[in-house]
Amino acid sequence: MENTAGPRSALVWDDAFLNYRFSDTHPMNPVRLKLTHRLAKTLGVLDRERLLQVKPPVATDAELATIHSIDYIAQVRAASSDANSTDPATIANIASVYEAVGLGTEDCPVFADLHESSARIAGGSLAAAKAIWSGQVDRAVNFAGGMHHAQRSMASGFCIYNDAALAVQHMLDQGAERIAYVDLDAHHGDGVEQAFVNDPRVLTISVHETGLLLFPGTGFAKDFGGPQAEGYAVNVAVPASVGDAGYLRAVHAVVPQLLRSFGPQVLVTQHGADGHRHDPLADLNLSVDGQRQLMIDASDWAEDFAGGKWLALGGGGYSPVKVVPRAWAHLIGIAADTPIPLITEIPMEWRELVSQELGLATDDVVSSMSDGVDVWWRSWEVGYDPADATDQSIMATRKAVFPMHGLDPWFD
């Protein structure tokens, strides 16, 4: 699995990703993807000599069936067809017909291109996994991916097909023995966890806002895997408004220790941008600077624990101007070994594009790649504070899973 020639990293992109559009008012607005790609291009991080450009194929039904049930795939296809119908009765009955599989709901409305656009996102992450596992590249980014809520037979949380799980399953099918998946979205990565809950070849770690307050309401320290893989599902449920310092402390108190013990052949990370303080759907109170630090950390973990093999995905993120494009442009730059300095000013060319797309005055568009904060956190070695809610969450997770990996919850 060694890349001996050509770019070390790849970016999966096609403007056809923008077809994944539930409605004009749905939070999952594809303009966030368009603005991310254009910002990265404007900032010069799409240099083809350093970043292989991969066009995403549409995943086949056979590929989707490695994770999803055949019946569910057929339901998604049928719902897409019904959404394209000219019969008013068919359109009116969509919600009642498909609600049992999570389609036609407020979260996952049905539209005519539902199957193909969802399967293209899945195909993009599959293509990235194939490029990494074959040794064509060491790193790949599909920021349109990260649809981590989709279940085997149900759509959930804006997610139709679980591209992250498909990518992991492909590498397992090709002979991988240890894959680590680290989910840094504000919401619990429940779909990926469930896909591998009984498979000790896959270590899933999700650091998210507590399910006591946030969808999907799952992912607590006690949720540590099925009977055949106890300790291989790891959840850190941090309190709301935890901020950069608390979230980074939680991540660094759990993730690198487990990755070192597990020794993955490939690291897959999900970088939902919805933990940012401007995001309307979550409350973690992070900054772009903090999110960028997590991306740098993921890059380092891949080098230190996974032989440099890293697949990075997008995910949530519903502030399409102030947050998502900046966060994921940073992700592309880091994966391509051309990190964007925080002091970088955003070019007027991009700000004018935002003005055209969304009708905002250019002066009202974010102008810096930084939020201007000092990213700092206390390392776990400083000591455990039993009165601190974040430390309580961290310790609950460490006590639940560390001993299963031969680690000491107090000192490792």
Side-chain angles (χ1 to χ4, degrees):
M1 295 200 311
E2 297 225 356
N3 176 35
T4 57
R8 183 189 185 201
S9 307
L11 174 68
V12 180
W13 178 255
D14 191 315
D15 280 353
F17 275 150
L18 305 180
N19 294 337
Y20 189 76
R21 186 183 186 94
F22 289 111
S23 73
D24 291 341
T25 58
H26 195 280
M28 185 77 87
N29 189 330
V31 73
R32 70 195 191 125
L33 304 181
K34 180 177 182 178
L35 295 180
T36 296
H37 184 262
R38 302 307 188 266
L39 179 58
K41 182 177 181 180
T42 303
L43 291 171
V45 298
L46 303 189
D47 182 348
R48 292 177 181 271
E49 292 184 2
R50 300 183 65 92
L51 194 63
L52 178 69
Q53 310 291 305
V54 176
K55 187 170 183 177
V58 175
T60 67
D61 285 9
E63 289 170 330
L64 295 170
T66 62
I67 290 295
H68 297 287
S69 71
I70 294 293
D71 287 346
Y72 172 66
I73 298 166
Q75 289 282 77
V76 177
R77 283 188 171 276
S80 302
S81 178
D82 283 356
N84 201 35
S85 173
T86 57
D87 177 22
T90 298
I91 297 294
N93 289 331
I94 283 177
S96 60
V97 171
Y98 298 105
E99 187 176 11
V101 293
L103 299 173
T105 63
E106 183 178 356
D107 277 2
C108 298
V110 170
F111 58 99
D113 200 37
L114 180 70
H115 167 76
E116 183 166 318
S117 62
S118 303
R120 182 177 290 106
I121 291 172
S125 293
L126 277 173
K130 290 176 182 178
I132 292 170
W133 189 253
S134 69
Q136 185 180 14
V137 297
D138 291 331
R139 303 164 159 215
V141 178
N142 179 17
F143 61 83
M147 302 296 177
H148 60 166
H149 293 307
Q151 307 287 325
R152 174 173 171 76
S153 297
M154 179 170 285
S156 176
F158 313 160
C159 306
I160 309 301
Y161 295 133
N162 198 317
D163 63 289
L166 284 162
V168 171
Q169 187 63 53
H170 169 78
M171 292 185 282
L172 295 175
D173 292 343
Q174 296 304 305
E177 298 176 347
R178 296 177 312 282
I179 303 291
Y181 170 80
V182 177
D183 194 305
L184 302 173
D185 195 285
H187 301 79
H188 176 219
D190 58 334
V192 183
E193 178 181 297
Q194 283 303 310
F196 304 107
V197 72
N198 250 335
D199 192 338
R201 296 175 299 173
V202 183
L203 173 68
T204 63
I205 308 174
S206 180
V207 186
H208 49 267
E209 184 176 337
T210 174
L212 294 174
L213 302 173
L214 193 68
F215 174 90
T218 54
F220 298 96
K222 64 180 178 58
D223 303 318
F224 49 70
Q228 299 174 40
E230 289 188 346
Y232 289 90
V234 181
N235 289 288
V236 188
V238 298
S241 300
V242 67
D244 290 328
Y247 190 84
L248 283 158
R249 177 169 166 82
V251 169
H252 282 267
V254 172
V255 176
Q257 295 86 342
L258 290 170
L259 292 180
R260 182 180 295 110
S261 173
F262 184 64
Q265 293 162 287
V266 179
L267 174 64
V268 181
T269 56
Q270 197 266 24
H271 296 270
D274 47 4
H276 193 275
R277 64 186 184 225
H278 288 312
D279 195 275
L281 300 187
D283 308 286
L284 287 182
N285 199 33
L286 305 183
S287 67
V288 163
D289 307 58
Q291 293 172 326
R292 179 181 182 272
Q293 179 61 52
L294 291 163
M295 296 163 189
I296 292 171
D297 294 333
S299 175
D300 290 343
W301 299 332
E303 295 300 320
D304 293 343
F305 310 125
K309 303 296 183 180
W310 179 30
L311 170 55
L313 306 173
Y318 311 102
S319 178
V321 176
K322 291 183 178 180
V323 180
V324 176
R326 293 191 296 158
W328 291 347
H330 278 304
L331 180 62
I332 298 166
I334 291 164
D337 292 319
T338 55
I340 302 165
L342 283 169
I343 61 171
T344 303
E345 292 188 6
I346 294 176
M348 183 57 70
E349 175 185 345
W350 184 82
R351 296 168 66 189
E352 289 174 347
L353 172 64
V354 173
S355 178
Q356 294 167 9
E357 290 284 334
L358 301 176
L360 300 175
T362 55
D363 288 346
D364 294 332
V365 179
V366 64
S367 60
S368 170
M369 290 299 290
S370 169
D371 283 334
V373 303
D374 182 16
V375 176
W376 172 90
W377 68 96
R378 291 186 305 123
S379 70
W380 187 251
E381 290 75 14
V382 170
Y384 165 57
D385 180 358
D388 181 82
T390 300
D391 277 17
Q392 291 169 9
S393 297
I394 295 169
M395 184 55 85
T397 299
R398 287 172 65 101
K399 285 183 174 180
V401 301
F402 270 34
M404 298 178 187
H405 294 269
L407 299 171
D408 189 314
W410 291 95
F411 300 110
D412 282 323

